[in-house]
Amino acid sequence: MARRQARFTTQDLEGLPELEDDSPALWDESLGDVPRGLLTSAVRCFASNGFHATTTRDICGGVGLSPGALYVHFPSKELVLFEIIRVAHDRVLAYLTEPAVQAIEDPVRHLHALVARYTEWHARNHVAARVSQYELAGLSAEHYAQILETRHRTNDVFRAAVERGVTTGVFADVDVKRVSRAILSLGIDLVRWYRRDGSDSPEQLAEFTAQLALKMAMTPDLDLGPAPLATPARSAG
């Protein structure tokens, strides 16, 4: 997007490379073509303008439908957002907990696989992931609670992996909660800037992030002593 404006129209969003990702394939095929198209259009609109600034006209316009067409398939705009966020969170958790990953016994290889998969998934689906991570405030209290439960389960996957490495002595005696949170942040933060046409493929970014995560887990905390005092700023006079 060449320049930031108050609000992007449906026409503004057409053909933008930064809105190209694999998220159209996330939706259940049983929904039908129209609901799936509405979800994909909503992802693009929410990612560009935010949930609250997006109208049903925007979402329906993205697939050539009249504004009222949304309510034939979704009772409210909030339910569209919930479906996007629910599917994104469920899919990435399922990808992390596939039997082939859970069967990895070596703590180093296990954490590497988890981080690589988490990063790769967010890179491939970065537009939908951006919505699922940064538009949570648009959910109802009930729907937010459901998503929060899934987020806790995802966090537990990473904490268990780091804790196993610490317990077995393969990793350094790090703060499991802090390191796990930092690792999760690495995989999530990329959705703010990643583009399919950028310099790193999802696989390259996944490998780099996985290596970085292992360095965090295998490096002992450094005792740097007390933080130096900041130098007082001199007055202009």
Side-chain angles (χ1 to χ4, degrees), residues 23-110:
S23 59
L26 291 176
W27 325 125
D28 192 331
E29 292 186 1
S30 66
L31 289 176
D33 291 341
V34 174
R36 286 161 58 88
L38 288 168
L39 289 169
T40 296
S41 178
V43 164
R44 295 166 62 87
C45 292
F46 293 157
S48 302
N49 292 320
F51 171 73
H52 293 293
T54 294
T55 65
T56 57
R57 181 182 297 276
D58 295 328
I59 297 172
C60 292
V63 288
L65 298 174
S66 61
L70 180 81
Y71 301 111
V72 175
H73 305 280
F74 299 96
S76 69
K77 186 178 74 168
E78 189 270 342
L79 278 170
V80 175
L81 178 67
F82 173 62
E83 181 67 6
I84 292 168
I85 296 178
R86 181 192 67 78
V87 169
H89 279 77
D90 286 351
R91 290 296 179 90
V92 71
L93 178 58
Y95 192 46
L96 293 174
T97 55
E98 287 182 352
V101 180
Q102 291 183 311
I104 301 175
E105 296 184 0
D106 177 58
V108 174
R109 294 186 179 278
H110 184 222

Side-chain angles (χ1 to χ4, degrees), residues 78 82 136-137 139-149 151:
E78 189 270 342
F82 173 62
L136 291 165
L139 294 175
S140 67
E142 178 183 357
H143 287 156
Y144 178 77
Q146 292 182 45
I147 299 300
L148 191 60
E149 173 62 27
R151 292 171 72 89

Side-chain angles (χ1 to χ4, degrees), residues 3-9 12 45 48-50 52-54 58:
R3 63 185 181 85
R4 181 65 181 172
Q5 57 191 58
R7 187 174 180 279
F8 293 102
T9 66
D12 293 329
C45 292
S48 302
N49 292 320
H52 293 293
T54 294
D58 295 328

Side-chain angles (χ1 to χ4, degrees), residues 222-228:
L222 301 177
D223 184 5
L224 301 179

